Amino acid sequence: MTALTLSTAGAATLRADVLVVGVAKSGKTLVAAPGAEAVDKAFDGRLAAVLETLGASGAEGEATKLPSPAGLKAPVVLAVGLGAAPEDGESFDAETLRRAAGTAARTLTGSKKAAFALPILTAEDAAAIAEGALLGAYAYTAYQDAAGAKKPLAEVALLGAKPRDKAFKAAAERAQAVAEEINRARDLINQPPNDLTPAAFAAAAQAAGKEHGLKVQILDEKALAKGGYGGILGVGVGSVNPPRLVRIAYTHPKAEKTLALVGKGITYDSGGISLKPAGHNETMKCDMSGAAAVFSSVVAAARLGLEVNVTGWLALAENMPSGSATRPGDVLRMYSGKTVEVLNTDAEGRLVLADALTRASEEHPDAIVDVATLTGAMVLALGNRTFGIMANDDDYRTAIHEIADEVGEQSWPMPLPADLRKGMDSPTADIANMGERMGGGLVAGLFLQEFVGEGITWAHLDIAGPAFHEGAPYGYTPKGGTGSSVRTLVKLAELTAAGEV
């Protein structure tokens, strides 16, 4: 795990393997960003000119290494692009700093210590850089030969971050806790499904609960059957790895509000009898990303000591075809008592979520937010980097959208058109698990809404696009599991505690 320190040392005097500085574009001119003054001086004021000679433009995502001149203790300088320079006296955008720090940390895989001399004017700037560096340094190497795998950057030293200032210290501690919990989610998402079964996921939650003082309750297949959780059982019945429903709760003695988080945890999704074709099932270990995000967010709330009760519900199952699997045409009786005609067994996420939403509603929280890699339709609508937000309260949906924007997660508010509900009418059951094909992501949201308790504020985050990144890494985003929505959920919990949401 990458260590984080705040240093009072100067950029020229700190001993490190690499010194990271920022460069930006001012019009058509490349300029050294604040924090790079000592490095620019060591280059006799020609840092930008040298970088331009090497082809650097200052664009975001760009990283250029060059040997240090005399006068710097670090033997290597890494210049990362920050894009357009802000107006005089203004900070760089937090997400720009976060991505630049992530780019630097990724570039420095294998290094022991890097000093980050990026622009810091406020504690928020320091937090963004710390978060980006810790997320960018992430690597999943659990199944690789330890001798051959390159180790992530071991230590990040933030220069100019005022370690004796309470605001800077608190910002760094928060950034470290949140980043480590995002990386916990990433580890779970990246873990092969032959090892991360529903029972194994539940055991991980139990272990974290013990470590962080959380109350954990696990319903196994017998308890689920006794309780009438037909949705979760209906999805998991085809697998030799039986399902679980996990309740993981953080409580604070001064809390005045309770936030319930519900996560879809399909540890592998073959599609069931409605089998996914080749080319669509290779990454389906990631179909538990919502549960991973919920789990990590509850732990983060505990680590930060937030004055709000946060309860996580992890609906865990493996969706497999077999002689015992649910068939298209079967009818399930859900935990709520409603019956659902299963028209497509690959629309399984909404079935496990429905039971968990009903159970969460029984505790009458102030709000419920569910998180799921729910529909390919949402990816078609919003692309691979943006999650959709639906809610039964427009103000709450707007608040979550604004929170996501603030923490640097791309999202977009989506509607719940009442006219699409009719498409889920069933001649056999109370509702079908499929409706109109067009607007499929919205149809899924309408289905979930049917299982939310009356009078409870609810939102649904469909993170199918950004939860698992199949392309080349960028910024602080790795290939594989991303931990999408954790930052949004943690900030939502903070604002709920403050009475601002």
Side-chain angles (χ1 to χ4, degrees):
M1 191 172 293
T2 302
L4 174 68
T5 58
L6 305 184
S7 177
T8 57
T13 58
L14 183 69
R15 293 188 180 277
D17 297 313
V18 183
L19 180 58
V20 179
V21 298
V23 289
K25 295 184 287 186
S26 180
K28 295 183 179 180
T29 305
L30 186 68
V31 295
E37 293 85 358
V39 177
D40 193 35
K41 182 179 179 181
F43 277 91
D44 295 324
R46 291 182 47 79
L47 174 61
V50 171
L51 288 167
E52 281 188 311
T53 301
L54 294 173
S57 67
E60 289 190 40
E62 188 177 77
T64 307
K65 280 186 181 179
L66 60 166
S68 296
L72 300 179
K73 293 289 186 183
V76 176
V77 171
L78 176 67
V80 290
L82 296 170
E87 299 292 330
D88 289 344
E90 293 186 10
S91 297
F92 281 86
D93 176 75
E95 181 63 5
T96 296
L97 295 175
R98 197 178 286 114
R99 289 186 180 184
T103 296
R106 281 193 301 101
T107 303
L108 298 176
T109 297
S111 298
K112 291 183 179 179
K113 182 176 181 179
F116 282 66
L118 293 173
I120 294 179
L121 291 180
T122 65
E124 289 73 22
D125 294 341
I129 295 168
E131 199 173 81
L134 295 173
L135 293 176
Y138 173 83
Y140 187 70
T141 59
Y143 290 79
Q144 296 177 357
D145 183 353
K150 271 195 172 184
K151 295 182 179 178
L153 174 62
E155 183 182 349
V156 171
L158 288 193
L159 307 185
K162 303 179 184 178
R164 296 183 182 87
D165 185 291
K166 287 184 179 179
F168 277 83
K169 186 177 179 181
E173 288 174 351
R174 180 193 183 279
Q176 184 154 23
V178 173
E180 286 176 359
E181 291 311 315
I182 291 171
N183 288 339
R184 180 198 298 273
R186 290 172 169 181
D187 281 348
L188 287 166
I189 297 164
N190 289 326
Q191 190 170 347
N194 57 319
D195 284 345
L196 189 71
T197 61
F201 198 144
Q206 198 161 43
K210 186 175 181 180
E211 180 183 356
H212 297 285
L214 306 171
K215 187 175 182 181
V216 179
Q217 297 170 298
I218 300 171
L219 298 185
D220 63 13
E221 66 273 27
K222 293 181 180 178
L224 291 169
K226 185 177 180 180
Y229 291 87
I232 297 174
L233 287 167
V235 173
V237 72
S239 174
V240 295
N241 297 306
R244 297 286 187 271
L245 177 62
V246 178
R247 180 185 186 272
I248 180 167
Y250 160 71
T251 57
H252 193 283
K254 295 182 180 179
E256 296 182 356
K257 289 188 175 182
T258 296
L259 176 65
L261 305 176
V262 177
K264 172 187 172 183
I266 304 300
T267 56
Y268 182 75
D269 181 20
S270 69
I273 297 296
S274 305
L275 193 67
K276 293 178 185 290
H280 294 267
N281 55 19
E282 291 81 358
T283 60
M284 281 297 103
K285 65 180 182 179
C286 79
D287 214 19
M288 37 58 68
S289 297
V294 165
F295 171 33
S296 293
S297 297
V298 175
V299 177
R303 292 180 62 175
L304 297 173
L306 303 184
E307 292 186 12
V308 60
N309 297 328
V310 184
T311 305
W313 298 89
L314 316 180
L316 309 175
E318 187 175 64
N319 187 23
M320 297 291 284
S322 72
S324 61
T326 293
R327 298 157 288 247
D330 283 356
V331 173
L332 305 177
R333 186 169 296 278
M334 312 296 280
Y335 179 69
S336 67
K338 287 185 179 180
T339 55
V340 176
E341 183 182 9
V342 179
L343 298 179
N344 187 325
T345 64
D346 196 22
E348 84 300 328
R350 64 200 70 183
L351 299 175
V352 301
L353 287 173
D355 276 355
L357 284 167
T358 302
R359 178 64 186 89
S361 295
E362 289 181 340
E363 298 188 356
H364 305 288
D366 293 280
I368 299 176
V369 179
D370 77 69
V371 189
T373 47
L374 203 59
T375 65
M378 196 57 61
V379 185
L380 290 173
L382 299 178
N384 289 317
R385 298 189 183 185
T386 303
F387 62 77
I389 308 169
M390 284 157 265
N392 60 4
D393 182 302
D394 288 350
D395 290 339
Y396 199 62
R397 182 186 63 186
T398 298
I400 293 175
H401 176 49
E402 290 174 349
I403 288 168
D405 185 60
E406 180 184 345
V407 301
E409 294 198 294
Q410 294 174 219
S411 69
W412 198 251
M414 302 294 283
L416 289 170
D419 58 284
L420 290 177
R421 169 60 183 85
K422 186 172 178 56
M424 290 185 283
D425 285 349
S426 165
T428 309
D430 295 323
I431 189 172
N433 77 328
M434 293 290 288
E436 293 183 30
R437 184 181 174 211
M438 300 303 168
L442 314 182
V443 170
L446 287 165
F447 180 91
L448 295 178
Q449 186 174 224
E450 297 273 329
F451 298 88
V452 177
E454 188 175 350
I456 299 175
T457 301
W458 159 78
H460 160 58
L461 311 186
D462 190 337
I463 61 169
F468 195 85
H469 180 57
E470 296 185 62
Y474 66 93
Y476 53 81
T477 301
K479 188 179 180 70
T482 64
S484 175
S485 79
V486 172
R487 283 179 286 159
T488 298
L489 295 177
V490 173
K491 189 66 177 180
L492 175 63
E494 289 175 325
L495 294 180
T496 301
E500 296 179 29
V501 177

